[in-house]
């Protein structure tokens, strides 16, 4: 820790990126993980002679050229490596370019927005899949799926401009499904959900010409403009990245979240458990891993059926134990309380326990290596979609039109594998933690305001009076180049200690859940006095789990609700809020970060930064972007320093709003509260 703080002398949101910091491993400690369960399984894997991502991260260093964003391989004349232009001694610039003349900033910008395209495509193709199933369900062509949240259906219908008066639920749902699907291929006009953003934000986007048309169109245009010989202006390239990212957050992801809520129910608070200790030695363990809840929702039903439970007993098991991994885990946790086996970097170590009878996967964040690890134990890897196959894995195709049959076939395959377990079994004992999840925007609205006056008013009031300093969204992945879970937990503890309410999604939420931060008692233990007081009054944890990565759209809606409730400015960029992804690794995280910034949120990434090959582009993203959008990127690998940058930003927004004085009123700190209680 001490060495690291020496290395990171600079802080503040406009800090220049140190290329050595950005390209290398960035950890506060030298450990592979702070999660004891994962550590135990890393050691077991070593004993069993099994290679995991943690081992490969040691033996394979990142490509230094690619890590800087300086490698252009978009045509057959390259790949060209184009480092940033340097000043020569006599003051002349030595300008390096690719064979075609592309500069460092053009190349970095192309690579950067191709990451946005990859991430936006992943979220949006998920959203499209949901919309297709939604439409089939509305037409009665997808047995097992239906409409669970009629109120939300009506809300979404109205946002799509659909007439609801005097019409049947079925007719409205069909039109919502058709409208939602049409959003992906819209050639002209604007995405309908863009109108949900604050009016001022919509104007910012209009002025910059970044209001998205069809979701697919913006992604295709990135691929066109980054082809050799098309867009050569880094600022213009980045604008298209901004546009596609808005199409993700306010389009593909938001459609995914909303239609999932309508079909499967809008989440309400649930109590559950997290970590590898949720696996059971005497039951058939099925881990559902990936992202789309279309499959996992059906497996939840199939695994509970008497027929399947009886079958499991006939094989000597006591029952069927379902758990989740990655964002699928978050989906079935939020709606059913199904326990979380772990986050991204735990997918191999879960198999190393020797008790996973089937790991069922769909799309995204699934390591190919799980098949290699599975071969060292008895685990069956089952792929389920034509979009994502793994050589050697069993493929049971899941068809939403006959969902229950597919789900039962998958559960049956797991049950039949139960007798094949070897004696090489070790479940990390006592390695579970309680958590409360299920905080949709609607639930927060209700919890804060009550049934008859649902609103964000109490949140805004407590921000204005200074009990809550601000709100931070801490989201995103694990990254094997940094200590597993450490960045998330350290950052979130620092934030809540300073009275910042934290909203979470994705693997980040699981990291903090494992550390015991997602229970109401965490307020008293870890939060500052103001935040603790509010959390204890309302009965919520200081760290709020809002779902999977597509559910980051819930955070956009929550931020908009704060603006609309009044008293905190008239745009998201006025709010005392900040965002972060301290252990990011996926292209989806870049797209999410970009749409948070496009929505006006200052956002800090840790681990590594992908544009260090161009100082000009990095400056554009880290400084100039704020003038355009009111939000900007920052990079800080030290999670505590990153949290301090977020707090400094929150304080600057409080000052701009004229509510900074409120914080000077000293409320009770924890020490004072304890003294008061013991008196
Ligand atoms: O979509 S946080 S590692 S699981 S990309 Fe993947 Fe990152 Fe986890 Fe969910 Ni999101």
């Amino acid at each position: 820790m001490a060495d690291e703080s020496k290395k990171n002398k600079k802080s503040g949101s406009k800090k220049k990126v140190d290329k050595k910091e950005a390209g290398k491993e960035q950890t506060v400690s030298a450990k592979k993980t702070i999660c004891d369960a994962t550590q135990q399984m890393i050691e077991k894997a070593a004993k069993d002679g099994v290679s995991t991502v943690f081992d490969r991260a040691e033996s394979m260093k990142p490509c230094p050229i690619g890590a800087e964003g300086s490698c252009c391989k978009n045509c057959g004349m390259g790949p060209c490596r184009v480092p940033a232009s340097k000043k020569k001694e006599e003051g002349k610039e030595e300008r390096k370019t690719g064979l075609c003349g592309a500069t460092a900033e053009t190349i970095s910008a192309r690579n950067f927005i191709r990451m946005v395209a990859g991430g936006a495509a992943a979220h949006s193709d998920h959203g499209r899949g949901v919309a297709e199933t939604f439409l089939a369900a509305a037409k009665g062509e997808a047995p097992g799926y239906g409409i669970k949240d009629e109120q939300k259906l009506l809300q979404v219908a109205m946002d799509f401009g659909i007439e609801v008066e005097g019409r049947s639920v079925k007719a409205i749902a069909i039109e919502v499904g058709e409208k939602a699907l049409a959003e992906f291929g819209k050639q002209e006009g604007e995405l309908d959900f863009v109108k949900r953003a604050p009016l001022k934000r919509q104007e910012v986007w209009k002025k910059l010409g970044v209001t998205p048309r069809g979701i697919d169109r913006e992604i295709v245009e990135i691929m066109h403009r980054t082809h050799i010989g098309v867009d050569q202006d880094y600022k213009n390239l980045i604008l298209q990245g901004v546009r596609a990212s808005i199409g993700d957050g306010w389009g593909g992801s938001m459609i995914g979240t909303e239609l999932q809520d309508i079909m499967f129910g809008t989440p309400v608070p649930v109590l559950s458990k997290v970590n590898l200790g949720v696996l059971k030695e005497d039951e058939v363990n099925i881990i559902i891993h990936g992202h789309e809840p279309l499959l996992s929702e059906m497996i939840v039903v199939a695994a509970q059926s008497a027929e399947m439970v009886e079958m499991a007993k006939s094989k000597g098991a006591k029952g069927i134990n379902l758990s989740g991994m990655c964002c699928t885990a978050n989906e079935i946790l939020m709606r059913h309380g199904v326990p979380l086996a772990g986050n991204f970097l735990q997918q191999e170590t879960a198999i190393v326990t020797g008790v996973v009878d089937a790991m069922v996967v769909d799309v995204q964040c699934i390591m190919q290596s799980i098949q290699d690890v599975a071969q060292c134990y008895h685990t069956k890897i089952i792929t389920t979609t034509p979009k994502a196959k793994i050589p050697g894995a069993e493929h049971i195709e899941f068809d939403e039109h006959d969902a229950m049959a597919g789900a039962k076939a998958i559960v049956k395959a797991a049950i039949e594998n139960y007798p094949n377990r070897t004696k090489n079994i070790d479940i990390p004992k006592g390695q579970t933690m309680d958590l409360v999840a299920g905080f949709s925007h609607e639930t927060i609205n209700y919890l804060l305001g009550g049934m008859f006056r649902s609103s964000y008013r109490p949140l805004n009031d407590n921000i204005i009076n200074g009990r809550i300093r601000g709100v931070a969204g801490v989201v995103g992945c694990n990254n094997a180049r940094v200590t597993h879970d450490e960045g998330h937990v350290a950052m979130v503890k620092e934030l809540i200690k300073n009275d910042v309410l934290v909203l979470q999604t994705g693997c980040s939420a699981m990291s903090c859940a494992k550390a015991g931060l997602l229970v109401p008692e965490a307020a008293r233990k870890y939060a500052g006095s103001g935040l603790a007081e509010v959390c204890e009054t309302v009965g919520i944890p200081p760290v709020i789990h809002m779902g999977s990565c597509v559910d980051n759209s819930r955070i956009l809606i929550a931020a908009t609700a704060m603006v609309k409730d009044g008293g905190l400015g008239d745009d998201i960029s006025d709010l005392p809020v900040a965002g972060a992804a301290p252990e990011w690794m996926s292209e989806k995280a870049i797209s999410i970060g970009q749409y948070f910034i496009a929505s006006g949120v200052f956002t800090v990434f840790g681990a590594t930064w992908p544009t260090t090959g161009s100082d000009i582009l990095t400056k554009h993203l880290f400084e100039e972007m704020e003038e355009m959008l009111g939000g900007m990127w920052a990079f800080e690998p030290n999670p505590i320093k990153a949290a301090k940058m977020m707090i400094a930003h929150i304080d600057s927004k409080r000052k701009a709003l004229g509510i900074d004085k409120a914080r000077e009123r000293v409320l009770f700190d924890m020490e004072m509260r304890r003294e008061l209680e013991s008196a």
Side-chain angles (χ1 to χ4, degrees):
M1 177 82 90
D3 286 354
E4 193 62 31
S5 47
K6 265 185 229 157
K7 262 195 274 165
N8 299 303
K9 283 207 177 103
K10 290 181 190 169
S11 64
S13 57
K14 293 197 175 171
K15 145 183 170 163
K16 192 167 181 292
V17 174
D18 180 335
K19 284 182 197 162
K20 280 190 210 131
E21 279 182 2
K24 285 205 298 189
E25 292 172 40
Q26 307 293 338
T27 54
V28 172
S29 67
K31 287 195 284 186
K32 290 176 179 168
T33 178
I34 59 162
C35 169
D36 287 343
T38 307
Q39 183 57 38
Q40 284 178 37
M41 290 304 104
I42 290 172
E43 285 161 22
K44 180 172 187 290
K47 240 189 314 170
D48 295 348
V50 173
S51 159
T52 69
V53 61
F54 297 98
D55 304 313
R56 295 188 293 275
E58 276 184 349
S59 60
M60 184 193 282
K61 297 298 165 197
C63 163
I65 307 162
E68 290 185 349
S70 300
C71 175
C72 183
K73 52 183 181 61
N74 295 8
C75 86
M77 295 192 291
C80 295
R81 184 198 179 180
V82 183
S85 304
K86 289 198 179 69
K87 296 269 180 220
K88 279 173 121 182
E89 274 172 30
E90 61 277 20
K92 281 191 192 153
E93 200 178 52
E94 188 189 48
R95 202 157 181 263
K96 290 215 169 96
T97 68
L99 261 64
C100 70
T103 60
E105 47 277 13
T106 302
I107 290 168
S108 282
R110 281 179 183 162
N111 289 335
F112 188 74
I113 69 168
R114 278 198 173 198
M115 292 181 89
V116 172
H123 286 144
S124 298
D125 210 34
H126 169 163
R128 185 205 324 274
V130 173
E132 283 174 339
T133 303
F134 182 94
L135 184 56
K139 289 178 175 169
E141 294 165 1
Y145 298 102
I147 304 296
K148 279 211 177 128
D149 188 340
E150 286 186 14
Q151 199 167 341
K152 193 156 201 176
L153 172 71
L154 297 182
Q155 181 59 56
V156 169
M158 287 187 286
D159 287 348
F160 275 144
I162 293 168
E163 183 60 52
V164 296
E165 206 56 43
R167 299 182 73 196
S168 70
V169 167
K170 182 175 179 172
I172 296 168
I174 290 173
E175 203 175 337
V176 164
E178 287 168 346
K179 265 272 196 186
L181 259 183
E183 291 291 275
F184 292 88
K186 210 178 215 175
Q187 298 305 314
E188 286 173 3
E190 299 174 354
L191 290 182
D192 280 322
F193 281 169
V194 159
K195 292 188 202 81
R196 291 177 155 192
L199 280 176
K200 204 167 161 196
R201 186 64 8 199
Q202 293 179 46
E203 282 161 22
V204 170
W205 293 339
K206 261 201 192 91
K207 218 167 108 199
L208 287 168
V210 295
T211 311
R213 299 156 292 183
I215 296 154
D216 295 350
R217 178 167 187 173
E218 305 309 352
I219 295 165
V220 167
E221 196 168 310
I222 285 184
M223 298 313 286
H224 178 196
R225 282 162 68 165
T226 55
H227 185 276
I228 179 177
V230 187
D231 200 349
Q232 326 281 1
D233 177 338
Y234 70 96
K235 289 186 181 174
N236 206 38
L237 282 160
I238 291 297
L239 278 177
Q240 183 56 23
V242 169
R243 196 179 205 182
S245 77
I246 300 169
D248 174 356
W250 296 86
S253 283
M254 200 172 277
I255 288 172
T257 295
E258 296 294 61
L259 298 192
Q260 285 168 188
D261 279 357
I262 297 171
M263 270 197 289
F264 306 130
T266 301
V268 294
V270 283
L271 178 68
S272 189
K273 290 196 181 296
V274 61
N275 217 345
L276 296 175
V278 304
L279 297 170
K280 292 186 178 155
E281 197 164 339
D282 50 7
E283 295 192 19
V284 174
N285 288 301
I286 304 174
I287 293 184
I288 321 176
H289 173 19
H291 281 76
E292 296 178 353
L294 300 173
L295 163 71
S296 51
E297 281 283 331
M298 284 300 151
I299 292 186
V300 170
V301 178
Q304 287 168 351
S305 72
E307 178 196 351
M308 291 293 126
V309 174
E310 278 315 306
M311 191 185 287
K313 286 182 179 165
S314 76
K315 299 285 178 190
K318 282 195 176 150
I320 300 170
N321 181 41
L322 214 56
S323 59
M325 182 134 297
C326 285
C327 281
T328 286
N330 287 323
E331 298 281 3
I332 49 177
L333 164 77
M334 294 281 283
R335 298 193 180 87
H336 302 285
V338 172
L340 305 164
N343 51 12
F344 174 70
L345 283 181
Q346 291 181 282
Q347 55 190 286
E348 295 168 319
T349 49
I351 298 170
V352 173
T353 60
V355 296
V356 178
D357 302 298
M359 184 175 273
V360 186
V361 304
D362 53 20
V363 289
Q364 299 168 27
C365 302
I366 297 146
M367 293 188 201
Q368 184 169 348
S369 61
I370 55 173
Q371 178 57 26
D372 294 336
V373 177
Q375 280 184 327
C376 301
Y377 302 92
H378 81 299
T379 305
K380 228 179 224 179
I381 304 296
I382 302 174
T383 55
T384 56
T385 158
K387 289 178 196 167
K389 294 188 178 180
I390 301 175
E394 186 170 340
H395 186 75
I396 302 178
E397 196 136 318
F398 180 74
D399 175 5
E400 287 81 13
H401 296 90
D402 194 7
M404 192 43 76
K408 281 190 175 170
I410 289 164
V411 174
K412 202 171 153 209
I415 294 169
E416 280 167 357
N417 198 29
Y418 177 78
N420 296 329
R421 281 191 197 172
T422 68
K423 294 216 162 13
N424 185 7
I425 281 172
D426 184 9
I427 301 172
K429 298 280 170 319
Q431 292 294 332
T432 62
M433 182 61 79
D434 288 343
L435 79 150
V436 179
F439 293 94
S440 55
H441 149 72
E442 292 78 1
T443 299
I444 296 173
N445 210 15
Y446 165 72
L447 286 175
L448 290 172
M451 190 184 290
F452 299 109
R453 51 180 183 90
S454 295
S455 89
Y456 274 58
R457 194 69 251 156
L459 174 64
N460 284 21
D461 284 345
N462 278 299
I463 290 173
I464 292 164
N465 70 25
R467 283 193 186 89
I468 296 177
R469 192 170 193 155
V471 181
V474 182
V475 306
C477 324
N478 299 138
N479 183 325
R481 299 289 178 199
V482 297
T483 303
H484 173 224
D485 288 345
E486 185 175 56
H488 296 296
V489 175
M491 174 182 280
V492 170
K493 278 187 175 171
E494 183 68 19
L495 289 166
I496 60 175
K497 187 176 92 186
N498 285 284
D499 294 312
V500 176
L501 178 69
V502 174
L503 309 180
Q504 291 218 278
T505 60
C507 290
S508 183
M510 295 190 224
S511 303
C512 293
K514 285 187 273 174
L517 301 179
L518 272 64
V519 286
E521 303 79 52
R524 174 170 290 240
K525 203 165 168 191
Y526 299 106
S529 58
L531 176 62
E533 193 179 332
V534 176
C535 289
E536 285 177 351
T537 307
V538 182
I540 55 170
V543 184
I544 305 287
H545 192 339
M546 296 188 79
S548 66
C549 283
V550 294
D551 292 339
N552 281 312
S553 59
R554 296 190 200 277
I555 300 181
L556 298 178
I557 298 290
T560 304
M562 285 169 72
V563 172
K564 289 185 176 164
D565 231 289
L568 293 173
D570 48 13
D571 193 0
I572 295 172
S573 59
D574 296 330
L575 297 172
V577 302
E583 299 178 26
W584 80 276
M585 63 87 200
S586 75
E587 292 170 325
K588 290 182 288 175
I590 291 288
S591 181
I592 292 165
Q594 189 57 72
Y595 74 63
F596 268 97
I597 286 153
S599 303
V601 181
F602 168 66
T603 303
V604 194
F605 270 37
T608 182
W609 184 253
T611 70
T612 50
S614 167
D615 290 344
I616 295 171
L617 176 69
T618 305
K619 185 172 186 282
H620 183 61
L621 298 172
F622 285 33
E623 294 179 25
E624 293 158 7
M625 197 156 260
E626 190 175 39
E627 284 151 38
M628 297 156 51
L629 291 160
M632 62 179 172
W633 288 97
F635 168 67
E636 173 50 66
N638 182 308
I640 303 288
K641 289 188 172 184
K644 288 189 194 309
M645 287 162 73
M646 296 161 81
I647 293 166
H649 175 80
I650 284 169
D651 284 350
S652 74
K653 292 292 170 185
R654 294 186 64 86
K655 192 164 186 209
L657 288 165
I659 55 171
D660 52 325
K661 296 283 179 289
R663 280 203 61 76
E664 285 168 17
R665 242 173 3 112
V666 177
L667 296 161
F668 291 112
D669 64 15
M670 291 304 277
E671 209 49 53
M672 291 156 77
R673 286 153 56 84
R674 276 188 212 111
E675 273 170 25
L676 200 72
E677 275 163 20
S678 59

